[in-house]
Amino acid sequence: MASSAPRSPVLKQPVKIACVQLAAGPDKAANLAHAAVKVREAAATGAKIVVLPECFNSPYGCDHFPTYAERLLPSPPPPEQSPSFHALSAMARDNGIYLIGGSIPELVVTTEDGSGASGQDTIEEEENKKKKKKKDEKTYYNTSLTFSPTGELLATYRKMHLFDISIPGKITFRESDVLSPGDSLALVDLPEYGRVAIAICYDVRFPELAMIAARRGCFALVYPGAFNLTTGPLHWQLLARARAVDNQVYVAMCSPARDMSAGYHAWGHSLVVDPMAQVLVEAGEGEEVVVADLDGEKIEEARKGIPLRDQRRFDVYADVSRVKP
């Protein structure tokens, strides 16, 4: 039954969002410097929310993740431990923007105590117990960091669904050979505007994440992503439009620029889609900044015209947004 009570707008005031489509090479310092230039360019358009691509600080690929991974904990990490963290913080602060920092490879090192005991009460065993030899376990994640206009870290999101696919004769890729999945949502409050959800690339194929985000008050779903030349032409725009029309929110997807000399060829075509699934802006293949205006009235118009939120049958099927806090 439709509610007669007035609803607060999920987007409090109009805001401009920019997707920065750029290419990353093997030099991390150069990648960070280049990103800073392009973020400044995006901010100059008036954008208050700026998005970088997946793996913006390094080449994309399982072979590269361990080499470029940074330790983010404890937070904030020292600059020498995570130059990307501090570069992103500075980009947000220097330009007075909310910065959704694409993603970077993250390293977590867990130290365990190992006694080296043999099960027999020997001198060697006793020595091993005294020494308490350390064993380091390394875990890698694909991680997105979001910063406030003051440079404060607002959210950390670890890619939840890993890109493990095999299309015969086209592409085989297994992120899980190196990466581990995250297990927490990233619903981020931007006080002047409202709430956004952040996920990464392959996550867009899982509508449950988008449903949870929309039903918990997000005005936009933001996906840094690096689709390839097989899945990109098939599903990149289709998935962005599907998540938008299903949930009547804005969707932004930010890709790396295509570099045919790299080991992984990104599709490009960063885009922003409105709550009626219309593509507002879309990049080509190369480096480009695309900008779109988001307006809360457009969300309300879509939801009043096609009132999905009041017509769902939670007496018949479950509301996934209430399954887990």
Side-chain angles (χ1 to χ4, degrees):
M1 199 145 180
S3 171
S4 59
R7 291 182 168 95
S8 300
V10 292
L11 176 53
K12 300 174 186 177
Q13 61 176 309
V15 63
K16 194 182 295 286
I17 189 170
C19 292
V20 177
Q21 183 167 290
L22 51 77
D27 185 333
K28 182 189 287 188
N31 293 335
L32 296 177
H34 184 50
V37 171
K38 301 304 284 186
V39 165
R40 190 180 312 119
E41 180 182 325
T45 69
K48 295 301 181 184
I49 303 172
V50 177
V51 188
L52 286 168
E54 182 179 21
C55 286
F56 82 96
N57 72 340
S58 69
Y60 177 80
C62 289
D63 292 341
H64 301 296
F65 296 142
T67 304
Y68 289 84
E70 300 178 10
R71 295 178 66 177
L72 300 174
L73 298 173
S75 187
E80 64 275 9
Q81 183 174 299
S82 181
S84 299
F85 179 102
H86 291 274
L88 289 168
S89 176
M91 291 179 217
R93 182 183 64 249
D94 293 348
N95 294 285
I97 56 168
Y98 290 101
L99 180 60
I100 299 170
S103 77
I104 65 171
E106 178 193 1
L107 167 63
V108 174
V109 178
T110 304
T111 300
E112 299 177 348
D113 289 339
S115 68
S118 64
Q120 299 177 357
D121 191 13
T122 65
I123 294 174
E124 182 181 1
E125 179 186 356
E126 291 298 322
E127 287 300 313
N128 285 336
K129 286 180 179 178
K130 290 177 182 177
K131 291 178 182 177
K132 290 187 177 181
K133 293 180 180 178
K134 303 293 184 181
K135 178 184 177 183
D136 290 342
E137 179 181 331
K138 295 182 178 180
T139 306
Y140 297 96
Y141 298 97
N142 189 346
T143 301
S144 182
L145 302 172
T146 299
F147 291 87
S148 76
T150 61
E152 174 191 2
L153 178 67
L154 295 179
T156 299
Y157 173 74
R158 292 168 172 165
K159 188 174 186 178
M160 191 175 296
H161 301 95
L162 299 182
F163 183 49
D164 287 6
I165 69 164
S166 180
I167 302 175
K170 297 289 186 178
I171 184 172
T172 297
F173 203 97
R174 286 185 54 82
E175 279 189 329
S176 66
D177 286 346
V178 176
L179 300 177
S180 293
D183 58 8
S184 298
L185 301 173
L187 310 182
V188 188
D189 290 316
L190 315 181
E192 306 96 316
Y193 306 111
R195 177 177 289 180
V196 298
I198 298 161
I200 299 172
C201 199
Y202 196 55
D203 288 330
V204 75
R205 292 186 180 273
F206 297 85
E208 295 88 349
L209 274 186
M211 291 176 190
I212 293 168
R215 292 176 198 169
R216 293 187 184 177
C218 292
F219 67 83
L221 314 174
V222 182
Y223 299 92
F227 274 41
N228 54 73
L229 300 190
T230 297
T231 60
L234 286 172
H235 298 148
W236 175 260
Q237 188 186 107
L238 173 66
L239 286 164
R241 297 183 70 193
R243 298 294 81 84
V245 76
D246 284 350
N247 299 287
Q248 298 174 315
V249 295
Y250 288 97
V251 173
M253 295 178 66
C254 187
S255 171
R258 191 179 307 173
D259 179 0
M260 295 306 293
S261 68
Y264 183 90
H265 304 146
W267 172 237
H269 293 272
S270 299
L271 77 170
V272 180
V273 180
D274 79 4
M276 290 295 282
Q278 298 180 94
V279 178
L280 298 179
V281 63
E282 182 173 359
E285 303 167 3
E287 292 203 335
E288 188 173 348
V289 175
V290 292
V291 181
D293 292 302
L294 312 187
D295 189 337
E297 290 187 6
K298 295 295 183 183
I299 298 174
E300 291 308 308
E301 285 175 10
R303 294 179 177 184
K304 287 176 182 176
I306 307 175
L308 303 179
R309 62 186 172 188
D310 300 320
Q311 296 172 332
R312 291 192 171 91
R313 292 292 306 276
F314 295 137
D315 60 322
V316 177
Y317 45 78
D319 179 357
V320 295
S321 71
R322 296 183 181 275
V323 172
K324 184 178 179 181

